[in-house]
């Protein structure tokens, strides 16, 4: 059992962030067969690109730093904020001290040795950090860049939900419903891991909470220096991402109010901003705003400000309407 031991100060100092490069690393795990497989449509679209990258770039060296229960942190460093970009992530990778990279590479190769001469040439190179960063940058643009806005919208919506639970009811409410392997007990966040039995004191510095699309069906953590303590967990709403886009109107609700508005109301089972809805549904922000204005006047959604964002959510009337249409 692994534990993050908390204090009162840790609750105040904890924060959320999104992590584009970490998301790429989790996707690479799935494409390389180290993790649960991707849905059929995603696999069919991305596997040919992945095979090309393995043949034409130094990506195999980055893949060699991943194992079933562990991976090098410097190739997917913990993010800094909600505004994290892949450019910031890649800059963090490139700024990794060579000694730190060497230490993590040595640990990875001890856990999962390789005799591939091309891979070892990269990992033993004095330019290893830059070479790995370049391979990851190429993989990002080829595999994930086109989908990132949609994936980030899913993560941002999870953060709105989870941050509300954390601020209103504390760790227990935010953790206990997060994943079956996580629980809150005796002032500690426990992760049901058999491969690591350890307690790490947060010491008032707080915990970085990072929702992820591709981490499912696992959870992960950063617990070793020099990296900030972080917990990565499956974001809510992933199931909707894996479902193929409907080719026909989504049922009776669409017959009543139109397909686009029906999709918006389905997506608004949890709060979201106009931008998040546009990204997750692949609609123009202006069109989403127009539809939301109509739904607001009809009493089917309401809105409230959360920080700098205006979030929309279904009203009880809309919940009843949606449930009736589904029935």
């Amino acid at each position: 059992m692994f534990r993050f031991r908390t204090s009162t100060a840790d609750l105040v100092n904890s924060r959320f962030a999104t992590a584009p490069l970490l998301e790429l690393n989790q996707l690479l795990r799935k494409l390389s067969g180290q993790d649960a497989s991707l849905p059929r449509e995603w696999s069919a679209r991305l596997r040919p690109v992945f095979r090309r990258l393995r043949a034409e770039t130094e990506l195999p060296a980055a893949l060699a730093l991943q194992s079933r229960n562990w991976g090098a942190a410097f190739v997917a460093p913990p993010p800094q904020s909600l505004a994290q970009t892949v450019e910031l992530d890649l800059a963090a990778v490139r700024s990794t001290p060579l000694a730190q990279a060497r230490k993590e590479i040595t640990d990875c190769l001890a856990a999962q040795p390789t005799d591939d001469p091309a891979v070892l040439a990269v990992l033993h190179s004095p330019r290893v950090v830059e070479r790995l960063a370049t391979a990851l940058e190429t993989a990002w643009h080829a595999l994930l860049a086109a989908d990132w806005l949609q994936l980030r919208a899913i993560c941002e919506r999870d953060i709105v939900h989870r941050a509300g639970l954390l601020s209103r009811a504390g760790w227990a409410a935010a953790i206990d419903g997060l994943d079956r392997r996580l629980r809150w007990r005796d002032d500690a966040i426990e992760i049901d891991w058999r491969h690591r039995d350890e307690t790490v004191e947060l010491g008032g510095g707080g915990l970085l909470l990072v929702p992820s699309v591709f981490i499912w069906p696992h959870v992960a953590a950063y617990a070793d220096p020099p990296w900030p303590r972080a917990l990565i967990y499956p974001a809510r709403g992933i199931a909707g991402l894996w479902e193929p886009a409907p080719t026909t109107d989504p049922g009776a609700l669409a017959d009543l109010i139109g397909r686009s508005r029906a999709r918006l109301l389905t997506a608004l089972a949890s709060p979201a901003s106009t931008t998040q809805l546009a990204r997750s549904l692949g609609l123009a922000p202006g069109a989403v705003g127009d539809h939301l204005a109509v739904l607001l006047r009809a009493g089917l959604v309401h809105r409230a400000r959360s920080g700098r964002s205006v979030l929309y959510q279904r009203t009880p009337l809309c919940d009843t309407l949606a449930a009736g249409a589904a029935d």
Side-chain angles (χ1 to χ4, degrees):
M1 185 74 69
F2 178 85
R3 300 170 183 83
F4 279 125
R5 182 78 65 188
T6 70
S7 66
T8 302
D10 290 309
L11 181 61
V12 176
N13 292 323
S14 292
R15 65 193 192 282
F16 291 84
T18 55
L21 201 55
L22 184 146
E23 207 72 87
L24 173 65
N25 272 265
Q26 295 303 323
L27 173 60
L28 292 174
R29 284 179 176 272
K30 293 184 181 299
L31 290 170
S32 63
Q34 293 181 338
D35 206 340
S37 60
L38 288 167
R40 183 179 303 173
E41 289 189 4
W42 282 71
S43 180
R45 176 164 60 91
L46 297 180
R47 283 196 182 281
V49 182
F50 177 68
R51 287 194 292 267
R52 177 178 60 79
L53 290 169
R54 293 189 74 162
E56 299 177 0
T57 74
E58 294 181 331
L59 185 62
L63 298 177
L65 300 181
Q66 299 179 348
S67 63
R68 187 173 183 273
N69 293 322
W70 197 77
F74 80 93
V75 294
Q80 297 298 314
S81 71
L82 289 173
Q84 193 77 8
T85 65
V86 72
E87 289 79 15
L88 290 172
D89 277 340
L90 289 167
V93 174
R94 289 186 164 102
S95 67
T96 304
L98 183 58
Q100 178 64 31
R102 287 265 183 257
K103 177 183 182 303
E104 294 189 21
I105 290 169
T106 299
D107 291 342
C108 287
L109 293 180
Q112 184 170 279
T114 180
D115 57 3
D116 186 323
V119 167
L120 292 174
V122 175
L123 296 181
H124 293 156
S125 166
R127 296 183 60 252
V128 58
V129 172
E130 174 59 33
R131 292 172 72 171
L132 290 174
T134 298
L136 291 171
E137 185 173 16
T138 301
W140 167 266
H141 290 292
L143 291 169
L144 202 53
D147 295 304
W148 175 239
L149 290 181
Q150 183 183 20
L151 302 184
R152 189 175 73 182
I154 291 173
C155 294
E156 288 174 345
R157 293 183 67 179
D158 176 277
I159 289 171
V160 170
H161 170 78
R162 196 72 53 193
L165 290 176
L166 188 64
S167 63
R168 290 193 304 269
W171 287 114
I175 296 299
D176 283 347
L178 195 152
D179 187 89
R180 61 180 176 80
R181 285 148 297 201
L182 294 168
R183 64 179 176 180
W184 170 255
R185 188 173 68 172
D186 297 333
D187 295 327
I189 299 167
E190 296 186 341
I191 308 176
D192 187 13
W193 281 341
R194 295 182 180 180
H195 66 277
R196 187 165 185 177
D197 186 9
E198 182 182 358
T199 297
V200 173
E201 302 286 342
L202 293 181
L207 185 66
L208 181 65
L209 295 158
V210 184
S212 166
V213 172
F214 294 117
I215 192 71
W216 185 90
H218 306 294
V219 293
Y222 293 82
D224 300 317
W227 311 109
R229 309 294 195 250
L231 176 66
I232 301 90
Y233 61 90
R236 299 168 76 243
I238 296 172
L241 177 70
W242 303 143
E243 295 171 358
T247 56
T248 59
D249 286 352
L253 186 60
D255 294 336
L256 179 64
I257 64 174
R259 178 173 178 271
S260 294
R261 289 172 190 169
R263 291 180 67 202
L264 281 171
L265 291 183
T266 300
L268 282 172
S270 58
S273 68
T274 301
T275 302
Q276 291 165 358
L277 289 167
R279 289 171 178 169
S280 62
L281 297 177
L283 299 173
V288 171
D290 291 342
H291 288 312
L292 288 172
V294 173
L295 296 171
L296 186 66
R297 291 198 302 271
L300 296 179
V301 300
H302 59 77
R303 63 186 179 186
R305 180 166 291 280
S306 177
R308 297 182 180 180
S309 299
V310 175
L311 302 180
Y312 291 83
Q313 190 171 15
R314 296 191 322 207
T315 63
L317 172 61
C318 181
D319 287 337
T320 303
L321 181 64
D327 292 341

